[in-house]
Structure formats: structure tokens, C-alpha cells
Amino acid sequence: MIFGETIVALSSGRLPAGVAVIRISGPDTRFVLETICGTAPPARKAVHRALYSPSKKEVLDRGLVIYFPAPNSFTGEEVAEFQIHGGRAVVEAVMKSLTAIPNVRHAEAGEFTRRAFMNGKLDLVQTEALADLINAETESQRRLAQRNADGAQSRLYTDWRRRLIHARAVIEAEIDFADESDVPGSVADTVWADIADLVDEVDRHIGGFAAAEIIQDGFEVVILGAPNAGKSSLFNALARRDAAIVTNEPGTTRDLLDVTLDIDGVKVVITDTAGLREDAGMVETIGMEKARERSRNADLVLILEDMLNPQTVEVDWLETSCLRVGTKLDLIAAKDLGDVNYDFRISSLTEEGIPDLLEAIGHRAEHSLSLAGDTLPSRLRHVELLEDTLRHLRIGQNDAVAPLEIRAEELRLAADALGRITGAIDVEDLLDVIFSQFCIGK
């Protein structure tokens, strides 16, 4: 697809910087190079050039210039990159000169990637994966995004769709050419056996979304306990800063406080909560209800208890995995520990026991990820379309008394749902939403 305008943007990070990368894409890219650099450099070779103003009266900067002729470029159009000094004034002067050239304008957010999609260089899943790769903060996020950007997820969905198209072809051949000797006489043994396998594969794949959510949103750990059980002290120790107020007054924490940790490449979100007790005031009661709600949805709950003054918190309502943690170990002599069965005993002051607790949290987070395969649905949009796919597959598979034409139609609807994930079918209404997530210059 040929776009009428040539776009330009700063594609590197915040200024000032040692090097700034300016990217241009569009039909007038070569003309821009000839205007700014005198001549276009050889294809895909970095060449050191002076960059001139369009009037040729002033050298703006000197740097590396790379030219990518269409269609062998990121966007599928003619593309060029200027690697120049990263001073604000330098970049502003070059950008001003570029956009002064007729038919050249500033790019909108995600416009380079959108052109790559429209020109068939990427599908929607790879496009979303690029956004995830840019935003990745942990190693597990990077690995998931890189696999999907390389096309692992797209290849899986494309293969499933190919199998469905083949199944429909066999069914429709039997319907239309039942009298022909070279058409299979029974689709039950060939098509529906594969559809049954496909139902299992899609169902298992959907189940992996929980792991993808943990990778992207974090393994959620909630600290729960009575007032003054040491929740905020542990929270601050894990955060390595005074993120929560710590006092001897009960009920100091009334709202939810979050801190994000990177434990062995996995994002872990720790939440401090209001202490649970009877006869609390109105505001504290609201905080306690928030604590219970967050705990119900957490991946792990740490139930803290002050070993100097144990106050048991009733958690029969909690179905989440829990660890019992005794606090204030530094104030208790070894002989006074008693027979209480804690999973961990810690001191937030001396940090004794905290490394072991962090290791246990890390192991739990890693285990939750190991339950899923390498290829995971990375968006709720994918899951919703996969569930739609599964629904149509099950209707076609189970409705054995329905005419073959109806069952074949269910397979077509399932294939269409898969096609909408990668952008092969009817996705125009999604494009603005997806590409708005990108930064300028990508």
C-alpha cells in the first residue's frame, strides 16, 4: 500500500542524548536524502554525511545516514535513518528542515508500525508484541514479547486456521461431490478427529492466559494481618524505602499501597493493606474491605503475625495460597519462639529471614509461569476471540445430527475468529486503539 505523505519522527529516547535517531518513511524519502545530504547513500550501508538545510546554506550536523529502499524496510516503504548528535537544538534544527520539505510531516504515534502492518510486514499480533517489547520491564516480559514479535503466536494461529480451512474443504467436497470416487467417503474419521484435537489445543492455550497476565501485570502478593503485625515495616523493607507510614498507632494504613519488584526476571507486585480487626472506624473498615478483596484476587497472601503479641486473623474466607510469617524476630530470644508453626520468621529491622521469604515468593512466581507453554495469548482481545473460536468448534463438533452445511459454517466462523486475531479479517475498527499505544517514532 502506497501512502501519499512522507513521515518523520525522532525514534530514539529522551533528549539530550549522545546519539539521536531520526527516522523517515514514505514515497519522498529518496528526495529528502538528496535534499539534505546531496545524494542518497548506497542501500543498507551506513555512510557519514553532512546534513544541510534545504537551502544548502548551512550545515546542520554531521552523522550517519542509512537508506532502506522499498520494499526491504521496516514499513515496506522507502525508509531512511539519520544518526546525529543528540542535543535538543541539533535535533530541532534537523527536524525543522525535514518538515520544511513539501509532502513531509511529523509522524503520529505508532504510524511507522501501522504502515508496516498495512504493507504486510507485520500482523496484528506481532504489532502488539512490538508494543510489549518496548514497554518490557523484566526479563520474562521481554522473552514473551520477543517470541510473539518473532511470530511464534501468529504461526500457531495461522496453522490452526489452515487446519480449519482444510477441514471445511473436505466437508464441502463431500457435500458437493459425494458421487465422485476420489472424494473421501467419511469426514467423521478425518475431519472431526482433527477438530477434537484442535478443541483441546485451543482450550489449553486459553488456559495459559493466566501465566501471560502474571508476566505482564505481575505476580500479586498481598500482605495481610492484624494492626501492628509489621505489615508496613515488611513492605518498606521489600521496597527498600519508606513507602508506607510506620507507627505504633493501630490502623495507620487505611488504603492499598503497591510496590513492584523484579525477582529473578519476574514482575512481582507487593501490596500493603489495612490491618484486620473488630470495632474499626468507617474509613478503616473501607480499607479492610479493600484488603479482603485484593487478597481474594491475589496469587499469594502473606499472613503476618507479631510474635511478641500474637493476634490471629481469621482467613477461612480466603482461598488463595498463603504463607504464615512471624514478625519482629529481632525482639525475641530463640528460646521464646514457642511451637507456633510459621512458614517464615523475619525481622524487618535486621532483615533476618527476608531473603528466604523473597526466594520463596520468587519460586512461587516462577512455578506459576512454568505451568504454561512458551506460546501464550498475550491480550484479552486474543482470549475473547479464542473463546469465540472454541465455541464454534464445539458446536460443529458436538451437533452430529445437524446437516454438514451447518457444521461447516461453524468451522468457517471459527476460522474467521482466528483470522481477526492476526488481522487477516475485519479489524479496521481495532487499528486506532492498537496503534495509539505506541510512542512517536515507532
Side-chain angles (χ1 to χ4, degrees), residues 210-248:
E213 282 189 306
I214 289 174
I215 291 173
Q216 294 174 326
D217 300 332
F219 184 79
E220 296 189 1
V221 180
V222 173
I223 303 174
L224 206 63
N228 287 343
K231 300 184 298 301
S232 295
S233 295
L234 173 60
F235 182 78
N236 288 344
L238 295 176
R240 298 290 178 181
R241 58 187 175 88
D242 292 334
I245 298 173
V246 177
T247 72
N248 292 325

mmCIF file of all heavy atoms in Angstrom, residues 210-248:
data_model
loop_
_atom_site.group_PDB
_atom_site.id
_atom_site.type_symbol
_atom_site.label_atom_id
_atom_site.label_comp_id
_atom_site.label_asym_id
_atom_site.label_seq_id
_atom_site.Cartn_x
_atom_site.Cartn_y
_atom_site.Cartn_z
ATOM 1 N N ALA A 210 -3.530 -16.946 32.066
ATOM 2 C CA ALA A 210 -3.239 -16.596 33.464
ATOM 3 C C ALA A 210 -1.738 -16.351 33.651
ATOM 4 O O ALA A 210 -1.323 -15.420 34.344
ATOM 5 C CB ALA A 210 -3.725 -17.695 34.401
ATOM 6 N N ALA A 211 -0.920 -17.193 33.013
ATOM 7 C CA ALA A 211 0.531 -17.006 33.098
ATOM 8 C C ALA A 211 0.956 -15.734 32.372
ATOM 9 O O ALA A 211 1.831 -15.002 32.842
ATOM 10 C CB ALA A 211 1.254 -18.216 32.515
ATOM 11 N N ALA A 212 0.334 -15.463 31.215
ATOM 12 C CA ALA A 212 0.667 -14.238 30.479
ATOM 13 C C ALA A 212 0.312 -13.001 31.297
ATOM 14 O O ALA A 212 1.047 -12.007 31.290
ATOM 15 C CB ALA A 212 -0.078 -14.215 29.137
ATOM 16 N N GLU A 213 -0.811 -13.047 32.019
ATOM 17 C CA GLU A 213 -1.195 -11.920 32.875
ATOM 18 C C GLU A 213 -0.167 -11.701 33.973
ATOM 19 O O GLU A 213 0.156 -10.559 34.320
ATOM 20 C CB GLU A 213 -2.570 -12.173 33.482
ATOM 21 C CG GLU A 213 -3.723 -11.913 32.542
ATOM 22 C CD GLU A 213 -5.063 -11.961 33.251
ATOM 23 O OE1 GLU A 213 -5.345 -12.973 33.914
ATOM 24 O OE2 GLU A 213 -5.827 -10.992 33.154
ATOM 25 N N ILE A 214 0.349 -12.800 34.549
ATOM 26 C CA ILE A 214 1.364 -12.664 35.594
ATOM 27 C C ILE A 214 2.636 -12.047 35.014
ATOM 28 O O ILE A 214 3.259 -11.176 35.627
ATOM 29 C CB ILE A 214 1.652 -14.037 36.231
ATOM 30 C CG1 ILE A 214 0.456 -14.478 37.082
ATOM 31 C CG2 ILE A 214 2.918 -13.988 37.088
ATOM 32 C CD1 ILE A 214 0.575 -15.884 37.627
ATOM 33 N N ILE A 215 3.030 -12.489 33.825
ATOM 34 C CA ILE A 215 4.222 -11.929 33.191
ATOM 35 C C ILE A 215 4.055 -10.436 32.950
ATOM 36 O O ILE A 215 4.948 -9.634 33.247
ATOM 37 C CB ILE A 215 4.515 -12.656 31.863
ATOM 38 C CG1 ILE A 215 4.958 -14.095 32.140
ATOM 39 C CG2 ILE A 215 5.598 -11.915 31.070
ATOM 40 C CD1 ILE A 215 5.110 -14.939 30.888
ATOM 41 N N GLN A 216 2.898 -10.033 32.435
ATOM 42 C CA GLN A 216 2.696 -8.645 32.038
ATOM 43 C C GLN A 216 2.285 -7.750 33.195
ATOM 44 O O GLN A 216 2.781 -6.631 33.321
ATOM 45 C CB GLN A 216 1.654 -8.592 30.919
ATOM 46 C CG GLN A 216 2.134 -9.246 29.634
ATOM 47 C CD GLN A 216 1.047 -9.327 28.579
ATOM 48 O OE1 GLN A 216 -0.125 -9.497 28.885
ATOM 49 N NE2 GLN A 216 1.423 -9.215 27.320
ATOM 50 N N ASP A 217 1.359 -8.230 34.047
ATOM 51 C CA ASP A 217 0.832 -7.396 35.125
ATOM 52 C C ASP A 217 1.525 -7.641 36.456
ATOM 53 O O ASP A 217 1.454 -6.794 37.350
ATOM 54 C CB ASP A 217 -0.675 -7.633 35.297
ATOM 55 C CG ASP A 217 -1.451 -7.301 34.036
ATOM 56 O OD1 ASP A 217 -0.979 -6.446 33.272
ATOM 57 O OD2 ASP A 217 -2.519 -7.891 33.807
ATOM 58 N N GLY A 218 2.168 -8.797 36.596
ATOM 59 C CA GLY A 218 2.900 -9.094 37.819
ATOM 60 C C GLY A 218 2.252 -10.189 38.652
ATOM 61 O O GLY A 218 1.035 -10.383 38.622
ATOM 62 N N PHE A 219 3.073 -10.919 39.378
ATOM 63 C CA PHE A 219 2.629 -11.908 40.361
ATOM 64 C C PHE A 219 2.217 -11.135 41.611
ATOM 65 O O PHE A 219 3.039 -10.463 42.233
ATOM 66 C CB PHE A 219 3.781 -12.868 40.671
ATOM 67 C CG PHE A 219 3.439 -13.996 41.601
ATOM 68 C CD1 PHE A 219 2.768 -15.111 41.143
ATOM 69 C CD2 PHE A 219 3.811 -13.943 42.936
ATOM 70 C CE1 PHE A 219 2.463 -16.171 42.005
ATOM 71 C CE2 PHE A 219 3.513 -14.982 43.807
ATOM 72 C CZ PHE A 219 2.838 -16.101 43.332
ATOM 73 N N GLU A 220 0.950 -11.189 41.956
ATOM 74 C CA GLU A 220 0.402 -10.325 43.001
ATOM 75 C C GLU A 220 0.513 -10.970 44.382
ATOM 76 O O GLU A 220 -0.023 -12.051 44.613
ATOM 77 C CB GLU A 220 -1.054 -9.979 42.691
ATOM 78 C CG GLU A 220 -1.212 -9.166 41.415
ATOM 79 C CD GLU A 220 -2.617 -8.641 41.225
ATOM 80 O OE1 GLU A 220 -3.472 -8.885 42.097
ATOM 81 O OE2 GLU A 220 -2.867 -7.984 40.195
ATOM 82 N N VAL A 221 1.209 -10.267 45.274
ATOM 83 C CA VAL A 221 1.405 -10.728 46.652
ATOM 84 C C VAL A 221 0.800 -9.689 47.595
ATOM 85 O O VAL A 221 1.148 -8.512 47.527
ATOM 86 C CB VAL A 221 2.905 -10.912 46.972
ATOM 87 C CG1 VAL A 221 3.081 -11.385 48.407
ATOM 88 C CG2 VAL A 221 3.536 -11.890 45.990
ATOM 89 N N VAL A 222 -0.101 -10.123 48.458
ATOM 90 C CA VAL A 222 -0.767 -9.229 49.406
ATOM 91 C C VAL A 222 -0.287 -9.538 50.817
ATOM 92 O O VAL A 222 -0.217 -10.702 51.219
ATOM 93 C CB VAL A 222 -2.297 -9.383 49.318
ATOM 94 C CG1 VAL A 222 -2.977 -8.588 50.427
ATOM 95 C CG2 VAL A 222 -2.800 -8.903 47.961
ATOM 96 N N ILE A 223 0.045 -8.474 51.555
ATOM 97 C CA ILE A 223 0.447 -8.617 52.966
ATOM 98 C C ILE A 223 -0.786 -8.370 53.825
ATOM 99 O O ILE A 223 -1.388 -7.297 53.775
ATOM 100 C CB ILE A 223 1.558 -7.610 53.317
ATOM 101 C CG1 ILE A 223 2.763 -7.799 52.389
ATOM 102 C CG2 ILE A 223 1.972 -7.775 54.767
ATOM 103 C CD1 ILE A 223 3.848 -6.748 52.580
ATOM 104 N N LEU A 224 -1.148 -9.362 54.622
ATOM 105 C CA LEU A 224 -2.374 -9.308 55.418
ATOM 106 C C LEU A 224 -2.023 -9.578 56.880
ATOM 107 O O LEU A 224 -1.069 -10.288 57.187
ATOM 108 C CB LEU A 224 -3.351 -10.377 54.907
ATOM 109 C CG LEU A 224 -4.847 -10.172 55.122
ATOM 110 C CD1 LEU A 224 -5.325 -8.924 54.372
ATOM 111 C CD2 LEU A 224 -5.620 -11.399 54.623
ATOM 112 N N GLY A 225 -2.807 -9.013 57.790
ATOM 113 C CA GLY A 225 -2.576 -9.275 59.205
ATOM 114 C C GLY A 225 -3.315 -8.284 60.083
ATOM 115 O O GLY A 225 -3.984 -7.362 59.601
ATOM 116 N N ALA A 226 -3.189 -8.478 61.385
ATOM 117 C CA ALA A 226 -3.812 -7.564 62.345
ATOM 118 C C ALA A 226 -3.047 -6.243 62.380
ATOM 119 O O ALA A 226 -1.912 -6.152 61.891
ATOM 120 C CB ALA A 226 -3.819 -8.210 63.730
ATOM 121 N N PRO A 227 -3.626 -5.186 62.947
ATOM 122 C CA PRO A 227 -2.886 -3.929 63.112
ATOM 123 C C PRO A 227 -1.596 -4.154 63.898
ATOM 124 O O PRO A 227 -1.555 -4.964 64.842
ATOM 125 C CB PRO A 227 -3.869 -3.040 63.879
ATOM 126 C CG PRO A 227 -5.221 -3.561 63.529
ATOM 127 C CD PRO A 227 -5.041 -5.054 63.404
ATOM 128 N N ASN A 228 -0.537 -3.464 63.507
ATOM 129 C CA ASN A 228 0.771 -3.539 64.160
ATOM 130 C C ASN A 228 1.409 -4.921 64.073
ATOM 131 O O ASN A 228 2.245 -5.287 64.895
ATOM 132 C CB ASN A 228 0.682 -3.110 65.640
ATOM 133 C CG ASN A 228 0.485 -1.617 65.787
ATOM 134 O OD1 ASN A 228 0.709 -0.852 64.856
ATOM 135 N ND2 ASN A 228 0.032 -1.186 66.959
ATOM 136 N N ALA A 229 1.031 -5.695 63.061
ATOM 137 C CA ALA A 229 1.660 -7.000 62.864
ATOM 138 C C ALA A 229 2.990 -6.882 62.119
ATOM 139 O O ALA A 229 3.696 -7.876 61.953
ATOM 140 C CB ALA A 229 0.718 -7.922 62.095
ATOM 141 N N GLY A 230 3.328 -5.680 61.673
ATOM 142 C CA GLY A 230 4.588 -5.472 60.955
ATOM 143 C C GLY A 230 4.433 -5.472 59.453
ATOM 144 O O GLY A 230 5.408 -5.619 58.724
ATOM 145 N N LYS A 231 3.209 -5.263 58.982
ATOM 146 C CA LYS A 231 2.953 -5.292 57.542
ATOM 147 C C LYS A 231 3.692 -4.168 56.814
ATOM 148 O O LYS A 231 4.393 -4.406 55.826
ATOM 149 C CB LYS A 231 1.445 -5.190 57.271
ATOM 150 C CG LYS A 231 0.617 -6.324 57.881
ATOM 151 C CD LYS A 231 -0.843 -6.230 57.498
ATOM 152 C CE LYS A 231 -1.498 -4.946 58.000
ATOM 153 N NZ LYS A 231 -1.426 -4.797 59.472
ATOM 154 N N SER A 232 3.527 -2.942 57.286
ATOM 155 C CA SER A 232 4.157 -1.806 56.614
ATOM 156 C C SER A 232 5.674 -1.838 56.755
ATOM 157 O O SER A 232 6.397 -1.404 55.859
ATOM 158 C CB SER A 232 3.597 -0.493 57.168
ATOM 159 O OG SER A 232 2.225 -0.369 56.849
ATOM 160 N N SER A 233 6.158 -2.370 57.868
ATOM 161 C CA SER A 233 7.610 -2.489 58.046
ATOM 162 C C SER A 233 8.189 -3.469 57.027
ATOM 163 O O SER A 233 9.242 -3.213 56.425
ATOM 164 C CB SER A 233 7.936 -2.951 59.468
ATOM 165 O OG SER A 233 7.545 -1.974 60.415
ATOM 166 N N LEU A 234 7.515 -4.596 56.823
ATOM 167 C CA LEU A 234 7.966 -5.545 55.811
ATOM 168 C C LEU A 234 7.853 -4.921 54.420
ATOM 169 O O LEU A 234 8.753 -5.073 53.587
ATOM 170 C CB LEU A 234 7.132 -6.825 55.877
ATOM 171 C CG LEU A 234 7.385 -7.846 54.761
ATOM 172 C CD1 LEU A 234 8.834 -8.306 54.771
ATOM 173 C CD2 LEU A 234 6.435 -9.040 54.891
ATOM 174 N N PHE A 235 6.760 -4.225 54.174
ATOM 175 C CA PHE A 235 6.550 -3.563 52.883
ATOM 176 C C PHE A 235 7.695 -2.602 52.589
ATOM 177 O O PHE A 235 8.246 -2.588 51.486
ATOM 178 C CB PHE A 235 5.210 -2.823 52.919
ATOM 179 C CG PHE A 235 4.831 -2.134 51.638
ATOM 180 C CD1 PHE A 235 4.329 -2.855 50.568
ATOM 181 C CD2 PHE A 235 4.948 -0.751 51.510
ATOM 182 C CE1 PHE A 235 3.958 -2.223 49.388
ATOM 183 C CE2 PHE A 235 4.582 -0.112 50.340
ATOM 184 C CZ PHE A 235 4.087 -0.852 49.269
ATOM 185 N N ASN A 236 8.089 -1.789 53.569
ATOM 186 C CA ASN A 236 9.193 -0.845 53.380
ATOM 187 C C ASN A 236 10.515 -1.566 53.168
ATOM 188 O O ASN A 236 11.355 -1.128 52.377
ATOM 189 C CB ASN A 236 9.297 0.091 54.580
ATOM 190 C CG ASN A 236 8.172 1.106 54.621
ATOM 191 O OD1 ASN A 236 7.476 1.327 53.626
ATOM 192 N ND2 ASN A 236 7.967 1.728 55.777
ATOM 193 N N ALA A 237 10.705 -2.682 53.890
ATOM 194 C CA ALA A 237 11.945 -3.444 53.739
ATOM 195 C C ALA A 237 12.050 -4.029 52.327
ATOM 196 O O ALA A 237 13.129 -4.040 51.725
ATOM 197 C CB ALA A 237 12.004 -4.557 54.781
ATOM 198 N N LEU A 238 10.931 -4.496 51.801
ATOM 199 C CA LEU A 238 10.942 -5.040 50.447
ATOM 200 C C LEU A 238 11.111 -3.936 49.409
ATOM 201 O O LEU A 238 11.787 -4.122 48.392
ATOM 202 C CB LEU A 238 9.646 -5.807 50.181
ATOM 203 C CG LEU A 238 9.419 -7.065 51.034
ATOM 204 C CD1 LEU A 238 8.053 -7.666 50.750
ATOM 205 C CD2 LEU A 238 10.513 -8.101 50.777
ATOM 206 N N ALA A 239 10.501 -2.777 49.661
ATOM 207 C CA ALA A 239 10.587 -1.654 48.725
ATOM 208 C C ALA A 239 11.933 -0.943 48.794
ATOM 209 O O ALA A 239 12.274 -0.172 47.897
ATOM 210 C CB ALA A 239 9.472 -0.656 49.003
ATOM 211 N N ARG A 240 12.679 -1.173 49.864
ATOM 212 C CA ARG A 240 13.958 -0.504 50.094
ATOM 213 C C ARG A 240 13.804 1.002 50.252
ATOM 214 O O ARG A 240 14.694 1.783 49.896
ATOM 215 C CB ARG A 240 14.946 -0.791 48.954
ATOM 216 C CG ARG A 240 15.312 -2.248 48.802
ATOM 217 C CD ARG A 240 16.178 -2.721 49.946
ATOM 218 N NE ARG A 240 16.508 -4.130 49.864
ATOM 219 C CZ ARG A 240 17.233 -4.776 50.772
ATOM 220 N NH1 ARG A 240 17.691 -4.116 51.831
ATOM 221 N NH2 ARG A 240 17.476 -6.056 50.653
ATOM 222 N N ARG A 241 12.665 1.431 50.753
ATOM 223 C CA ARG A 241 12.415 2.843 51.022
ATOM 224 C C ARG A 241 11.207 2.956 51.949
ATOM 225 O O ARG A 241 10.495 1.975 52.174
ATOM 226 C CB ARG A 241 12.134 3.611 49.729
ATOM 227 C CG ARG A 241 10.953 3.093 48.919
ATOM 228 C CD ARG A 241 10.837 3.782 47.576
ATOM 229 N NE ARG A 241 9.793 3.217 46.744
ATOM 230 C CZ ARG A 241 8.526 3.576 46.748
ATOM 231 N NH1 ARG A 241 8.125 4.551 47.582
ATOM 232 N NH2 ARG A 241 7.636 3.007 45.969
ATOM 233 N N ASP A 242 10.981 4.156 52.479
ATOM 234 C CA ASP A 242 9.835 4.379 53.363
ATOM 235 C C ASP A 242 8.595 4.651 52.523
ATOM 236 O O ASP A 242 8.122 5.791 52.408
ATOM 237 C CB ASP A 242 10.116 5.546 54.318
ATOM 238 C CG ASP A 242 11.192 5.207 55.327
ATOM 239 O OD1 ASP A 242 11.370 4.009 55.624
ATOM 240 O OD2 ASP A 242 11.868 6.134 55.812
ATOM 241 N N ALA A 243 8.057 3.594 51.941
ATOM 242 C CA ALA A 243 6.888 3.740 51.079
ATOM 243 C C ALA A 243 5.599 3.806 51.881
ATOM 244 O O ALA A 243 4.599 4.340 51.419
ATOM 245 C CB ALA A 243 6.819 2.572 50.094
ATOM 246 N N ALA A 244 5.600 3.260 53.089
ATOM 247 C CA ALA A 244 4.406 3.261 53.935
ATOM 248 C C ALA A 244 4.750 3.879 55.285
ATOM 249 O O ALA A 244 5.879 3.776 55.774
ATOM 250 C CB ALA A 244 3.875 1.839 54.127
ATOM 251 N N ILE A 245 3.781 4.538 55.905
ATOM 252 C CA ILE A 245 3.967 5.135 57.229
ATOM 253 C C ILE A 245 3.948 4.033 58.282
ATOM 254 O O ILE A 245 3.058 3.174 58.297
ATOM 255 C CB ILE A 245 2.864 6.164 57.523
ATOM 256 C CG1 ILE A 245 2.928 7.314 56.509
ATOM 257 C CG2 ILE A 245 2.970 6.698 58.947
ATOM 258 C CD1 ILE A 245 1.770 8.279 56.616
ATOM 259 N N VAL A 246 4.944 4.052 59.168
ATOM 260 C CA VAL A 246 5.033 3.052 60.234
ATOM 261 C C VAL A 246 4.967 3.761 61.574
ATOM 262 O O VAL A 246 5.803 4.620 61.876
ATOM 263 C CB VAL A 246 6.343 2.242 60.132
ATOM 264 C CG1 VAL A 246 6.446 1.257 61.288
ATOM 265 C CG2 VAL A 246 6.413 1.511 58.797
ATOM 266 N N THR A 247 3.958 3.440 62.404
ATOM 267 C CA THR A 247 3.826 3.973 63.754
ATOM 268 C C THR A 247 3.316 2.867 64.674
ATOM 269 O O THR A 247 2.916 1.795 64.223
ATOM 270 C CB THR A 247 2.838 5.160 63.812
ATOM 271 O OG1 THR A 247 1.511 4.668 63.637
ATOM 272 C CG2 THR A 247 3.154 6.198 62.749
ATOM 273 N N ASN A 248 3.321 3.152 65.982
ATOM 274 C CA ASN A 248 2.754 2.208 66.945
ATOM 275 C C ASN A 248 1.238 2.317 67.045
ATOM 276 O O ASN A 248 0.588 1.523 67.727
ATOM 277 C CB ASN A 248 3.369 2.444 68.336
ATOM 278 C CG ASN A 248 4.838 2.079 68.357
ATOM 279 O OD1 ASN A 248 5.258 1.139 67.696
ATOM 280 N ND2 ASN A 248 5.625 2.842 69.119
#
